[in-house]
Amino acid sequence: MQYLKYVYKLTPEEFYKFLADYQKGVEVLQEGESFIEFAVYEPLQNFKPVDVLKVDILPPEKAYRPVRIKNLMVVPDWIKPVVIRQGVAFGTGLHPTTKLCLYMLQRFMKGGWSVLDVGTGTGILAIASKRLGAGRVVAIDTDPQAVEECKHNCKENCVEVECINMSPENVAESFDLLVANLELEIFKRLMPVLTGLYKRVAIFSGLYGEEELKQFLTLTPHEPVKIKKLENWYSVVLRA
Ligand SMILES: C[S@@+](CC[C@H](N)C(=O)[O-])C[C@H]1O[C@@H](n2cnc3c(N)ncnc32)[C@H](O)[C@@H]1O
């Protein structure tokens, strides 16, 4: 039997926006700075395919993709699930600032790295880091309720994360990777402290609009290795 494979080429921004709503798997074929080429096995309503191919093999996404039966979700083993309780803390994964961090973690974090998550909220980024193969993960937040949520979610996900009620000024060591989804005013105050807390890569998120991005970039002498925008929110990756 033959199947039709539809190839699309979108800007990264269009692609991640599309992906956030698309319930099925996609096959990424090529990724450049300004485009992502991917294939799906059905025509998409809002985009025009750059190619339509006939293939003989049933795609894995079609054969086995996440399936929900009432409250039960069955996922293929290549999907890395993060379970988050909708509680009092920020961080369900729906907000663009969190999505950008989740993207950057997958792109820049290496297996075994130590990670510091500053402003952990629900613990979503700390848990995702563990799922992606991080070594030691420390998650801090100045809000004690967030720390309790983080502990709850880490237990639910069976991952070992040190969730601590602490501000970054009191962290006495440095980590391979720092991730901080905060806001410009906090970065203005804490940038010298945060800069001392990572050895390799830092992911900053929570910057709204070009003006905030511009102001953020004045806080560091380092050239960003990646800037990514989603719904007018920006995330910046710096190397030490
Ligand atoms: C936007 S939420 C991010 C939550 C989660 N990391 C995410 O990406 O969805 C920011 C979190 O930072 C915490 N926070 C604010 N100022 C902080 C500071 N100076 N030090 C540590 N945490 C802080 C807040 O309590 C809040 O939980």
Side-chain angles (χ1 to χ4, degrees):
M1 188 168 168
Q2 286 207 313
Y3 299 90
L4 291 180
K5 178 168 170 171
Y6 296 82
V7 179
Y8 294 88
K9 202 168 181 174
L10 302 183
T11 64
E13 192 182 359
E14 287 171 330
F15 175 73
Y16 288 105
K17 204 167 170 192
F18 152 77
L19 200 61
D21 297 326
Y22 194 59
Q23 303 287 315
K24 303 165 194 168
V26 306
E27 184 183 338
V28 174
L29 303 172
Q30 264 197 82
E31 207 176 337
E33 275 296 309
S34 59
F35 72 91
I36 291 175
E37 193 175 81
F38 66 99
V40 288
Y41 294 84
E42 62 187 5
L44 300 175
Q45 277 196 343
N46 299 326
F47 305 107
K48 203 164 167 259
V50 291
D51 210 352
V52 181
L53 311 165
K54 282 190 179 149
V55 292
D56 294 323
I57 302 161
L58 186 65
E61 293 90 345
K62 202 139 199 165
Y64 186 18
R65 60 183 185 227
V67 55
R68 179 177 164 185
I69 300 111
K70 285 178 62 86
N71 286 346
L72 196 67
M73 187 86 164
V74 183
V75 295
D77 58 358
W78 46 267
I79 290 221
K80 301 182 189 311
V82 175
V83 177
I84 297 294
R85 168 165 84 178
Q86 212 169 352
V88 288
F90 186 104
T92 55
L94 291 172
H95 199 274
T97 58
T98 312
K99 283 183 188 163
L100 285 165
C101 291
L102 293 169
Y103 169 85
M104 296 299 197
L105 279 172
Q106 290 178 71
R107 176 125 188 227
F108 290 96
M109 200 198 80
K110 302 270 184 288
W113 278 16
S114 58
V115 172
L116 176 65
D117 176 13
V118 179
T120 194
T122 56
I124 184 167
L125 303 178
I127 296 164
S129 303
K130 272 289 186 190
R131 281 278 175 275
L132 295 168
R136 180 174 175 227
V137 177
V138 175
I140 62 169
D141 204 295
T142 44
D143 175 358
Q145 274 188 310
V147 175
E148 287 313 305
E149 279 302 294
C150 178
K151 283 182 184 165
H152 170 91
N153 286 320
C154 289
K155 197 166 166 215
E156 193 73 10
N157 284 277
C158 305
V159 293
E160 208 177 298
V161 170
E162 294 161 52
C163 310
I164 311 171
N165 184 200
M166 192 193 257
S167 86
E169 293 96 320
N170 298 321
V171 176
E173 54 194 309
S174 76
F175 295 75
D176 292 312
L177 184 141
L178 174 137
V179 60
N181 181 11
L182 298 164
E183 53 189 72
L184 180 65
E185 288 313 309
I186 303 178
F187 290 133
K188 280 184 181 166
R189 203 161 34 83
L190 291 181
M191 205 55 185
V193 172
L194 296 175
T195 303
L197 297 180
Y198 68 96
K199 292 182 270 203
R200 296 169 192 267
V201 169
I203 300 167
F204 298 98
S205 195
L207 304 163
Y208 190 73
E210 271 185 44
E211 182 49 41
E212 285 204 4
L213 172 68
K214 241 193 263 171
Q215 287 189 42
F216 175 84
L217 294 177
T218 65
L219 304 177
T220 170
H222 297 289
E223 273 296 305
V225 287
K226 179 88 188 160
I227 297 176
K228 199 164 168 57
K229 180 183 175 191
L230 185 62
E231 292 172 34
N232 212 30
W233 291 93
Y234 287 87
S235 173
V236 177
V237 177
L238 300 177
R239 280 195 205 280

